Amino acid sequence: MTDKIKIALAQINPKLGDVAGNVTRILKARGEAAAAGADLVLAPELVVSGYPPEDLVLKPAFQLACRDGVEAIAKATTDGGPAIIVGAPWAEDGKLHNGVFLLGDGKILAKRFKYDLPNYGVFDEKRVFSPGPLPEPVAFNGVKLGLPICEDVWFATSSRHLKEQGAELLLVANGSPYDHAKPEQRLEIAGDRQDETDLPIIYVNQVGGQDELVFDGDSFVLDRGKVLKARLPAFEEQVAITEWQRGNKGWLCLPGAVAQPLTPLESIYRAMVLGLRDYVQKNGFPGVILGLSGGIDSALSAAVAVDALGPDKVRAVMMPSPYTSQESLDDAAACAKLLGIRYDIVSIEPAMTAFEGMLSGIFAGKGKDTTEENIQSRARGLTLMAMSNKLGHMLLTTGNKSEMSVGYATLYGDMCGGYSVLKDIYKVTVFELCRWRNGHSPAGLAGPKGLVMPERVITKPPSAELKPNQTDQDTLPPYDVLDGILTCLVENEMAVDQIVAKGYDRATVLRVWRMLDLAEYKRRQAPPGVKISRRAFGRDRRYPITNGFRPQ
């Protein structure tokens, strides 16, 4: 029995499906931990496969590859270095489990399976995994370790059972995706389990982007009394060593480095950056291209892209029409100059003229309306997609959550693209993020220090500039009103009377509700984008397109 132990927290960024690459990443982290004298390494949930594997995990060939990966890591532990706990899918006795494995001395020393499978929001683990039994403690160097997996600690059952069975430490492997409230929520949940069991909790979360999800890491150690003894930086890979001593009341963690939590706006911004960077790099795109209109949404999207990828991998195109103001031309050019990116101008006026001629017979006798406005948007979408096809860069979409909520976007026009960093960002927050980024130069980002857009981009009234003297508020409520109502409807599922009781006009609430429902068919065809809120469009919120329900 030992009285001292060093446990490494391996906050790793796996690539889903790249089992061989993930094994290499895990062994590299283990090597760092070994050099620092670790006895044991804790890696994230399903780190061998990547998380969440969705239906890929149902492929027998993939299951076998993951088993081979676990065994390869086990074989590597014959070198006298630290044991390691890794997560992987595991087929056994005709069932597929979400498991963790204690590996050491060249073999699998123990395995435990996830008991509480989440099946809400973005999670559908009950669809692909079978729950394991209540986990029993695992013996390691005379220490009884509890190995609950992620959701297991969001409820009391597993932790209490482990405590009753003699566990001395809880080592929790996690694949917990980011939303803006999640960092503090995790600490609260861990505090509840600590209160109930009086056991220290070592919480390791993966970091990195996976399609719509971003994992922020933010791993930590919560000791007795809910004392935070270690916390890893959010949105960064890191291997950190924690030192433990056995005392009269059990194991205690010596004080370690505690990273300061990010401010809400920096947290959101870094999630957008990491989500885009990993989506582009893990999918092998050479860079991104986007339309730069001189407006605030494209300016922020461009800044995020440069901060994520560097200016050499971002290309911007201004596509003016006869309705584009000189102010917008100047602001777009200024944005590109501040960011140091290539900037091209391709007029869509010839396309507008061509379409007007093509359709003149069919449209004879009919006045101009939103049809002609949408043709402009689609001409821009066609131009950008052509450049994306020819040059290989992924097209970055620039629409925000407010617009996508109420359908203020054109299918096959400004909705064209492979990814959106603003998809889950309301317009009011777009303004806040722009002001924040202009006033801050966060470390570790690839973009410029200082301003990333002219102040006028933030202060001028938003406009699609699809007809003379147009502003967004010609057809939409003020954004502070719109976003407030949308938050009530989307995030909180509030009834009309409840929203009106908060001070909003009933007719406006009913109008926004109707616009939200009618735009579902557009959102089904929208590109993926970074999940920021606790309820993003997509798997978080699955509404029917054909929907006859009408609020009163």
Side-chain angles (χ1 to χ4, degrees), residues 23 31 82 86 88 102 113 137 167 177 201 255 261 265 284 293 300 307 314 397 405 425 433 446 542 547:
V23 168
V86 301
L102 174 61
F113 300 136
I201 294 176
L265 287 176
S293 68
L300 179 58
D307 280 335
V314 180
T397 311
S405 294
I425 305 290
L433 288 166
R542 310 179 197 187
N547 175 9

PDB file of all heavy atoms in Angstrom, residues 23 31 82 86 88 102 113 137 167 177 201 255 261 265 284 293 300 307 314 397 405 425 433 446 542 547:
ATOM      1  N   VAL A  23      -4.196   6.789 -30.608  1.00  0.00           N
ATOM      2  CA  VAL A  23      -3.256   5.995 -29.809  1.00  0.00           C
ATOM      3  C   VAL A  23      -1.927   6.728 -29.698  1.00  0.00           C
ATOM      4  O   VAL A  23      -1.318   6.804 -28.613  1.00  0.00           O
ATOM      5  CB  VAL A  23      -3.062   4.595 -30.430  1.00  0.00           C
ATOM      6  CG1 VAL A  23      -1.878   3.876 -29.787  1.00  0.00           C
ATOM      7  CG2 VAL A  23      -4.336   3.765 -30.260  1.00  0.00           C
ATOM      8  N   GLY A  31       3.873   9.744 -22.249  1.00  0.00           N
ATOM      9  CA  GLY A  31       5.308  10.022 -22.175  1.00  0.00           C
ATOM     10  C   GLY A  31       5.606  11.299 -21.411  1.00  0.00           C
ATOM     11  O   GLY A  31       6.555  11.352 -20.615  1.00  0.00           O
ATOM     12  N   PRO A  82       4.094   4.930 -16.267  1.00  0.00           N
ATOM     13  CA  PRO A  82       2.840   4.956 -15.510  1.00  0.00           C
ATOM     14  C   PRO A  82       1.751   4.093 -16.136  1.00  0.00           C
ATOM     15  O   PRO A  82       1.726   3.868 -17.354  1.00  0.00           O
ATOM     16  CB  PRO A  82       2.445   6.435 -15.549  1.00  0.00           C
ATOM     17  CG  PRO A  82       3.102   6.973 -16.776  1.00  0.00           C
ATOM     18  CD  PRO A  82       4.401   6.235 -16.900  1.00  0.00           C
ATOM     19  N   VAL A  86      -7.880   4.821 -20.027  1.00  0.00           N
ATOM     20  CA  VAL A  86      -8.374   5.369 -21.288  1.00  0.00           C
ATOM     21  C   VAL A  86      -9.821   4.930 -21.502  1.00  0.00           C
ATOM     22  O   VAL A  86     -10.262   3.916 -20.966  1.00  0.00           O
ATOM     23  CB  VAL A  86      -7.511   4.924 -22.493  1.00  0.00           C
ATOM     24  CG1 VAL A  86      -6.062   5.363 -22.327  1.00  0.00           C
ATOM     25  CG2 VAL A  86      -7.587   3.411 -22.699  1.00  0.00           C
ATOM     26  N   ALA A  88     -12.893   3.867 -24.303  1.00  0.00           N
ATOM     27  CA  ALA A  88     -13.085   3.302 -25.637  1.00  0.00           C
ATOM     28  C   ALA A  88     -14.404   2.548 -25.676  1.00  0.00           C
ATOM     29  O   ALA A  88     -14.869   2.032 -24.648  1.00  0.00           O
ATOM     30  CB  ALA A  88     -11.941   2.360 -26.005  1.00  0.00           C
ATOM     31  N   LEU A 102      -8.216   0.381 -17.245  1.00  0.00           N
ATOM     32  CA  LEU A 102      -6.957   0.598 -16.536  1.00  0.00           C
ATOM     33  C   LEU A 102      -5.913  -0.305 -17.167  1.00  0.00           C
ATOM     34  O   LEU A 102      -6.049  -1.533 -17.168  1.00  0.00           O
ATOM     35  CB  LEU A 102      -7.121   0.272 -15.052  1.00  0.00           C
ATOM     36  CG  LEU A 102      -5.848   0.319 -14.204  1.00  0.00           C
ATOM     37  CD1 LEU A 102      -5.224   1.717 -14.209  1.00  0.00           C
ATOM     38  CD2 LEU A 102      -6.138  -0.137 -12.770  1.00  0.00           C
ATOM     39  N   PHE A 113     -17.768  -0.109 -17.226  1.00  0.00           N
ATOM     40  CA  PHE A 113     -18.655   0.388 -18.260  1.00  0.00           C
ATOM     41  C   PHE A 113     -19.591   1.465 -17.705  1.00  0.00           C
ATOM     42  O   PHE A 113     -19.998   1.422 -16.539  1.00  0.00           O
ATOM     43  CB  PHE A 113     -19.483  -0.755 -18.853  1.00  0.00           C
ATOM     44  CG  PHE A 113     -18.649  -1.843 -19.482  1.00  0.00           C
ATOM     45  CD1 PHE A 113     -18.944  -3.179 -19.257  1.00  0.00           C
ATOM     46  CD2 PHE A 113     -17.556  -1.520 -20.279  1.00  0.00           C
ATOM     47  CE1 PHE A 113     -18.182  -4.186 -19.832  1.00  0.00           C
ATOM     48  CE2 PHE A 113     -16.784  -2.516 -20.858  1.00  0.00           C
ATOM     49  CZ  PHE A 113     -17.091  -3.858 -20.634  1.00  0.00           C
ATOM     50  N   PRO A 137     -15.185  -0.482  -7.332  1.00  0.00           N
ATOM     51  CA  PRO A 137     -13.851   0.122  -7.301  1.00  0.00           C
ATOM     52  C   PRO A 137     -12.807  -0.768  -7.964  1.00  0.00           C
ATOM     53  O   PRO A 137     -12.962  -1.992  -8.068  1.00  0.00           O
ATOM     54  CB  PRO A 137     -13.573   0.277  -5.801  1.00  0.00           C
ATOM     55  CG  PRO A 137     -14.909   0.258  -5.145  1.00  0.00           C
ATOM     56  CD  PRO A 137     -15.747  -0.663  -5.982  1.00  0.00           C
ATOM     57  N   ALA A 167     -14.405   2.863  -2.352  1.00  0.00           N
ATOM     58  CA  ALA A 167     -13.571   3.721  -3.199  1.00  0.00           C
ATOM     59  C   ALA A 167     -12.977   4.855  -2.372  1.00  0.00           C
ATOM     60  O   ALA A 167     -13.628   5.414  -1.482  1.00  0.00           O
ATOM     61  CB  ALA A 167     -14.389   4.280  -4.358  1.00  0.00           C
ATOM     62  N   PRO A 177     -19.376  18.309 -23.691  1.00  0.00           N
ATOM     63  CA  PRO A 177     -19.280  19.419 -24.633  1.00  0.00           C
ATOM     64  C   PRO A 177     -19.564  20.760 -23.986  1.00  0.00           C
ATOM     65  O   PRO A 177     -20.307  20.868 -23.005  1.00  0.00           O
ATOM     66  CB  PRO A 177     -20.324  19.076 -25.703  1.00  0.00           C
ATOM     67  CG  PRO A 177     -21.264  18.137 -25.052  1.00  0.00           C
ATOM     68  CD  PRO A 177     -20.497  17.408 -24.006  1.00  0.00           C
ATOM     69  N   ILE A 201     -12.434  14.341  -6.192  1.00  0.00           N
ATOM     70  CA  ILE A 201     -12.839  14.059  -7.568  1.00  0.00           C
ATOM     71  C   ILE A 201     -11.791  14.598  -8.534  1.00  0.00           C
ATOM     72  O   ILE A 201     -11.432  15.778  -8.477  1.00  0.00           O
ATOM     73  CB  ILE A 201     -14.211  14.681  -7.870  1.00  0.00           C
ATOM     74  CG1 ILE A 201     -15.297  14.003  -7.025  1.00  0.00           C
ATOM     75  CG2 ILE A 201     -14.554  14.570  -9.361  1.00  0.00           C
ATOM     76  CD1 ILE A 201     -16.675  14.612  -7.179  1.00  0.00           C
ATOM     77  N   PRO A 255      -1.750  21.325  -3.252  1.00  0.00           N
ATOM     78  CA  PRO A 255      -2.181  22.424  -4.127  1.00  0.00           C
ATOM     79  C   PRO A 255      -1.381  22.446  -5.430  1.00  0.00           C
ATOM     80  O   PRO A 255      -0.158  22.295  -5.433  1.00  0.00           O
ATOM     81  CB  PRO A 255      -1.895  23.666  -3.283  1.00  0.00           C
ATOM     82  CG  PRO A 255      -1.939  23.186  -1.863  1.00  0.00           C
ATOM     83  CD  PRO A 255      -1.376  21.790  -1.900  1.00  0.00           C
ATOM     84  N   PRO A 261     -10.704  31.023 -14.619  1.00  0.00           N
ATOM     85  CA  PRO A 261     -11.773  30.847 -15.614  1.00  0.00           C
ATOM     86  C   PRO A 261     -11.818  32.031 -16.571  1.00  0.00           C
ATOM     87  O   PRO A 261     -11.483  33.166 -16.206  1.00  0.00           O
ATOM     88  CB  PRO A 261     -13.046  30.764 -14.762  1.00  0.00           C
ATOM     89  CG  PRO A 261     -12.689  31.436 -13.473  1.00  0.00           C
ATOM     90  CD  PRO A 261     -11.231  31.191 -13.246  1.00  0.00           C
ATOM     91  N   LEU A 265     -17.405  36.279 -22.525  1.00  0.00           N
ATOM     92  CA  LEU A 265     -17.185  36.593 -23.940  1.00  0.00           C
ATOM     93  C   LEU A 265     -15.937  35.916 -24.480  1.00  0.00           C
ATOM     94  O   LEU A 265     -15.932  35.407 -25.609  1.00  0.00           O
ATOM     95  CB  LEU A 265     -17.109  38.105 -24.146  1.00  0.00           C
ATOM     96  CG  LEU A 265     -18.436  38.856 -24.041  1.00  0.00           C
ATOM     97  CD1 LEU A 265     -18.229  40.359 -24.171  1.00  0.00           C
ATOM     98  CD2 LEU A 265     -19.434  38.378 -25.091  1.00  0.00           C
ATOM     99  N   GLY A 284      -9.201  18.382 -43.361  1.00  0.00           N
ATOM    100  CA  GLY A 284      -8.194  18.504 -44.406  1.00  0.00           C
ATOM    101  C   GLY A 284      -8.396  19.639 -45.389  1.00  0.00           C
ATOM    102  O   GLY A 284      -7.834  19.602 -46.498  1.00  0.00           O
ATOM    103  N   SER A 293     -18.805  41.583 -46.566  1.00  0.00           N
ATOM    104  CA  SER A 293     -19.775  42.562 -47.066  1.00  0.00           C
ATOM    105  C   SER A 293     -19.564  43.967 -46.544  1.00  0.00           C
ATOM    106  O   SER A 293     -20.203  44.907 -47.023  1.00  0.00           O
ATOM    107  CB  SER A 293     -21.184  42.102 -46.689  1.00  0.00           C
ATOM    108  OG  SER A 293     -21.354  42.168 -45.278  1.00  0.00           O
ATOM    109  N   LEU A 300     -16.961  39.696 -38.133  1.00  0.00           N
ATOM    110  CA  LEU A 300     -16.652  38.830 -36.994  1.00  0.00           C
ATOM    111  C   LEU A 300     -16.249  37.440 -37.470  1.00  0.00           C
ATOM    112  O   LEU A 300     -15.298  36.848 -36.937  1.00  0.00           O
ATOM    113  CB  LEU A 300     -17.853  38.743 -36.056  1.00  0.00           C
ATOM    114  CG  LEU A 300     -17.689  37.850 -34.831  1.00  0.00           C
ATOM    115  CD1 LEU A 300     -16.504  38.287 -33.974  1.00  0.00           C
ATOM    116  CD2 LEU A 300     -18.969  37.831 -33.990  1.00  0.00           C
ATOM    117  N   ASP A 307      -8.088  34.258 -36.528  1.00  0.00           N
ATOM    118  CA  ASP A 307      -7.588  33.841 -35.212  1.00  0.00           C
ATOM    119  C   ASP A 307      -7.436  32.323 -35.132  1.00  0.00           C
ATOM    120  O   ASP A 307      -6.568  31.807 -34.437  1.00  0.00           O
ATOM    121  CB  ASP A 307      -8.529  34.322 -34.108  1.00  0.00           C
ATOM    122  CG  ASP A 307      -8.319  35.790 -33.756  1.00  0.00           C
ATOM    123  OD1 ASP A 307      -7.208  36.303 -33.984  1.00  0.00           O
ATOM    124  OD2 ASP A 307      -9.266  36.422 -33.259  1.00  0.00           O
ATOM    125  N   VAL A 314      -7.039  32.346 -45.034  1.00  0.00           N
ATOM    126  CA  VAL A 314      -8.358  32.974 -45.111  1.00  0.00           C
ATOM    127  C   VAL A 314      -8.395  33.906 -46.322  1.00  0.00           C
ATOM    128  O   VAL A 314      -7.488  34.719 -46.520  1.00  0.00           O
ATOM    129  CB  VAL A 314      -8.682  33.772 -43.830  1.00  0.00           C
ATOM    130  CG1 VAL A 314     -10.062  34.417 -43.929  1.00  0.00           C
ATOM    131  CG2 VAL A 314      -8.597  32.874 -42.600  1.00  0.00           C
ATOM    132  N   THR A 397     -19.890  30.204 -43.841  1.00  0.00           N
ATOM    133  CA  THR A 397     -21.163  30.922 -43.816  1.00  0.00           C
ATOM    134  C   THR A 397     -21.132  31.949 -42.690  1.00  0.00           C
ATOM    135  O   THR A 397     -20.499  31.725 -41.659  1.00  0.00           O
ATOM    136  CB  THR A 397     -22.314  29.934 -43.597  1.00  0.00           C
ATOM    137  OG1 THR A 397     -22.173  28.859 -44.506  1.00  0.00           O
ATOM    138  CG2 THR A 397     -23.659  30.583 -43.806  1.00  0.00           C
ATOM    139  N   SER A 405     -33.050  31.994 -36.890  1.00  0.00           N
ATOM    140  CA  SER A 405     -34.276  31.712 -36.131  1.00  0.00           C
ATOM    141  C   SER A 405     -35.513  32.128 -36.916  1.00  0.00           C
ATOM    142  O   SER A 405     -36.518  31.414 -36.941  1.00  0.00           O
ATOM    143  CB  SER A 405     -34.245  32.451 -34.796  1.00  0.00           C
ATOM    144  OG  SER A 405     -33.230  31.969 -33.957  1.00  0.00           O
ATOM    145  N   ILE A 425     -25.058  32.118 -32.279  1.00  0.00           N
ATOM    146  CA  ILE A 425     -24.758  33.406 -31.653  1.00  0.00           C
ATOM    147  C   ILE A 425     -25.847  34.406 -32.034  1.00  0.00           C
ATOM    148  O   ILE A 425     -26.014  34.747 -33.210  1.00  0.00           O
ATOM    149  CB  ILE A 425     -23.390  33.958 -32.115  1.00  0.00           C
ATOM    150  CG1 ILE A 425     -22.275  32.949 -31.860  1.00  0.00           C
ATOM    151  CG2 ILE A 425     -23.092  35.287 -31.428  1.00  0.00           C
ATOM    152  CD1 ILE A 425     -21.933  32.754 -30.411  1.00  0.00           C
ATOM    153  N   LEU A 433     -19.289  40.571 -28.947  1.00  0.00           N
ATOM    154  CA  LEU A 433     -18.045  39.880 -29.299  1.00  0.00           C
ATOM    155  C   LEU A 433     -17.136  40.761 -30.149  1.00  0.00           C
ATOM    156  O   LEU A 433     -15.903  40.733 -29.984  1.00  0.00           O
ATOM    157  CB  LEU A 433     -18.365  38.582 -30.041  1.00  0.00           C
ATOM    158  CG  LEU A 433     -18.957  37.447 -29.202  1.00  0.00           C
ATOM    159  CD1 LEU A 433     -19.534  36.358 -30.093  1.00  0.00           C
ATOM    160  CD2 LEU A 433     -17.904  36.864 -28.260  1.00  0.00           C
ATOM    161  N   ALA A 446      -4.054  33.220 -33.771  1.00  0.00           N
ATOM    162  CA  ALA A 446      -3.205  33.476 -34.943  1.00  0.00           C
ATOM    163  C   ALA A 446      -3.461  34.826 -35.581  1.00  0.00           C
ATOM    164  O   ALA A 446      -2.772  35.198 -36.544  1.00  0.00           O
ATOM    165  CB  ALA A 446      -3.419  32.369 -35.982  1.00  0.00           C
ATOM    166  N   ARG A 542     -35.218  19.681 -32.052  1.00  0.00           N
ATOM    167  CA  ARG A 542     -35.670  18.921 -33.213  1.00  0.00           C
ATOM    168  C   ARG A 542     -37.172  19.171 -33.414  1.00  0.00           C
ATOM    169  O   ARG A 542     -38.000  18.477 -32.832  1.00  0.00           O
ATOM    170  CB  ARG A 542     -35.377  17.431 -33.015  1.00  0.00           C
ATOM    171  CG  ARG A 542     -33.936  17.161 -32.592  1.00  0.00           C
ATOM    172  CD  ARG A 542     -33.671  15.685 -32.364  1.00  0.00           C
ATOM    173  NE  ARG A 542     -32.444  15.483 -31.603  1.00  0.00           N
ATOM    174  CZ  ARG A 542     -31.898  14.290 -31.373  1.00  0.00           C
ATOM    175  NH1 ARG A 542     -32.461  13.206 -31.854  1.00  0.00           N
ATOM    176  NH2 ARG A 542     -30.791  14.193 -30.661  1.00  0.00           N
ATOM    177  N   ASN A 547     -46.038  21.595 -39.382  1.00  0.00           N
ATOM    178  CA  ASN A 547     -46.398  21.834 -37.988  1.00  0.00           C
ATOM    179  C   ASN A 547     -47.628  22.731 -37.941  1.00  0.00           C
ATOM    180  O   ASN A 547     -47.555  23.918 -38.270  1.00  0.00           O
ATOM    181  CB  ASN A 547     -45.204  22.487 -37.275  1.00  0.00           C
ATOM    182  CG  ASN A 547     -45.499  22.895 -35.849  1.00  0.00           C
ATOM    183  OD1 ASN A 547     -46.545  22.548 -35.295  1.00  0.00           O
ATOM    184  ND2 ASN A 547     -44.588  23.639 -35.255  1.00  0.00           N
TER     185      ASN A 547
END
